[in-house]
Amino acid sequence: MTAIKLLLVIVGCIILLHQVLARVVRRFWHFPAPAFISHVLDSKLRRRVQPPEKLIEWSGIAEGLTVLDLGCGSGTLTIPYARAVGENGRVCALDIQPAMLDLLARKLARLENEASNEHGRGKGAPPTASLRIQEPPANVGLIRASAHQLPFAANSLDVVGVTSVLYEIPDPQQALHEIKRVLRVGGYLAVTEMFMDPDYRLKSTTVREGQQAGFILDQAYGNFWAYTVRFIKPEAS
Ligand SMILES: C[S@@+](CC[C@H](N)C(=O)[O-])C[C@H]1O[C@@H](n2cnc3c(N)ncnc32)[C@H](O)[C@@H]1O
C-alpha cells in the first residue's frame, strides 16, 4: 500500500471514529453546538454541500417575506436570507447562545464598516473594490431566546428555517408546536439537515416529526447527505 493510500485510510478512520463518538455522546447529552464550530458552519466546504441559494429556494424564502432563522448560529444563512427577502422583508435571527449572536453581530458590523469605508473612498477607488463590497442588510433583528418558547405573536411569520438545529433542541416536538403557533396559515417550515452534523437524523424521521406536530408535508429536497424537508402550516391547526 502506498503512503498516500495509508494516509487516506488513517484520515477516513479518524473521521469515522469522530462521527461515531460524537453521535453516541449526543444521544445522551444535549447541549448547544459550541461557538467555535462557526468555522465549520462558515466554511467553503459547508457552502458547497449546502449552498445558501439552494436553501433559500427549497425553504420558499422570497422577496418581502418575514423569516425566522431559528438557531441562526453565527449567521451563515441569516445574511443570504436577508438579501433574498429584500428591504420589504425581515429576518429574525434567533439563537439560545449569546456567543453565536455576538459572532453574527460582528459579521454585520464588519459589513457596515467595509461599506462605509468604501463609500468614504469616493470616486477614486478602484472599480474592483466597489464591485466586491456588499451593503450590510438593515432588515435583520437579533433575538436571544429558546426554540421552546418563541417570542413572537401567533400567525406572525411567513417562513421558519431550522438548519442543523432541530435535533439539537432537547424537546423537538415542543419546538415544532411553537413554530406552528408563530407561523401564519400556509406558511413554510423548512427543516434542513446535513450528515456531518452529529445530531443528524434521517429524512423519514424529520417527515414523521413534522407530521406528528400537525404540519403537512409540502416538498422534500436533496439526498441522504444533505436535505431540506418543507412543511406547510395547515388551516385547521
Ligand atoms: C449547528 S448550529 C447551526 C447554526 C445555523 N443554523 C447554521 O446552519 O449555520 C445549531 C445552533 O442552534 C442553536 N440552538 C441549539 N438549541 C437551541 C434552542 N433550544 N433554541 C434556540 N437555538 C438553539 C445553537 O446555539 C447553535 O447556534
Side-chain angles (χ1 to χ4, degrees):
M1 191 186 283
T2 64
I4 293 188
K5 272 190 191 156
L6 185 64
L7 189 70
L8 283 177
V9 170
I10 292 172
V11 170
C13 287
I14 291 173
I15 293 174
L16 193 70
L17 190 67
H18 168 265
Q19 285 286 321
V20 171
L21 273 178
R23 269 152 228 255
V24 170
V25 169
R26 297 297 282 169
R27 285 277 159 167
F28 299 102
W29 194 16
H30 282 284
F31 56 89
F36 65 76
I37 67 144
S38 64
H39 295 292
V40 179
L41 297 174
D42 287 339
S43 66
K44 280 191 184 147
L45 176 66
R46 199 272 174 106
R47 273 169 212 272
R48 197 169 293 174
V49 179
Q50 285 182 321
E53 47 296 355
K54 268 269 170 288
L55 296 193
I56 287 168
E57 184 195 326
W58 292 353
S59 307
I61 293 173
E63 223 270 304
L65 298 185
T66 301
V67 175
L68 168 61
D69 184 6
L70 198 162
C72 60
S74 55
T76 316
L77 298 166
T78 310
I79 294 171
Y81 286 175
R83 297 201 196 288
V85 299
E87 57 188 26
N88 296 320
R90 179 149 187 83
V91 175
C92 307
L94 179 146
D95 205 285
I96 200 164
Q97 293 190 87
M100 286 292 198
L101 292 170
D102 280 353
L103 288 172
L104 173 54
R106 266 185 259 157
K107 237 181 233 176
L108 291 167
R110 207 165 41 240
L111 282 176
E112 184 96 47
N113 281 340
E114 283 172 10
S116 54
N117 285 346
E118 204 52 41
H119 291 316
R121 249 199 288 264
K123 286 185 178 171
T128 47
S130 41
L131 284 177
R132 258 192 289 116
I133 205 74
Q134 288 197 302
E135 294 289 340
N139 54 353
V140 178
L142 273 55
I143 301 161
R144 188 187 169 209
S146 165
H148 291 145
Q149 208 171 359
L150 295 173
F152 300 100
N155 307 305
S156 58
L157 303 171
D158 297 306
V159 179
V160 178
V162 185
T163 304
S164 298
V165 178
L166 189 60
Y167 302 108
E168 196 175 305
I169 298 169
D171 187 345
Q173 273 299 314
Q174 190 184 333
L176 288 170
H177 279 96
E178 264 299 88
I179 293 169
K180 191 149 65 77
R181 180 183 68 77
V182 299
L183 263 181
R184 68 166 167 79
V185 170
Y188 290 134
L189 157 66
V191 181
T192 297
E193 288 288 315
M194 181 173 55
F195 182 75
M196 283 304 283
D197 181 348
D199 295 306
Y200 168 92
R201 299 287 157 83
L202 292 172
K203 201 190 283 183
S204 53
T205 306
T206 297
V207 169
R208 201 178 52 239
E209 289 281 343
Q211 288 174 331
Q212 195 181 325
F215 285 98
I216 292 173
L217 175 64
D218 182 34
Q219 291 280 348
Y221 301 95
N223 49 37
F224 172 83
W225 305 102
Y227 69 82
T228 295
V229 177
R230 192 172 76 197
F231 298 95
I232 295 189
K233 173 172 167 176
E235 192 121 17
S237 58

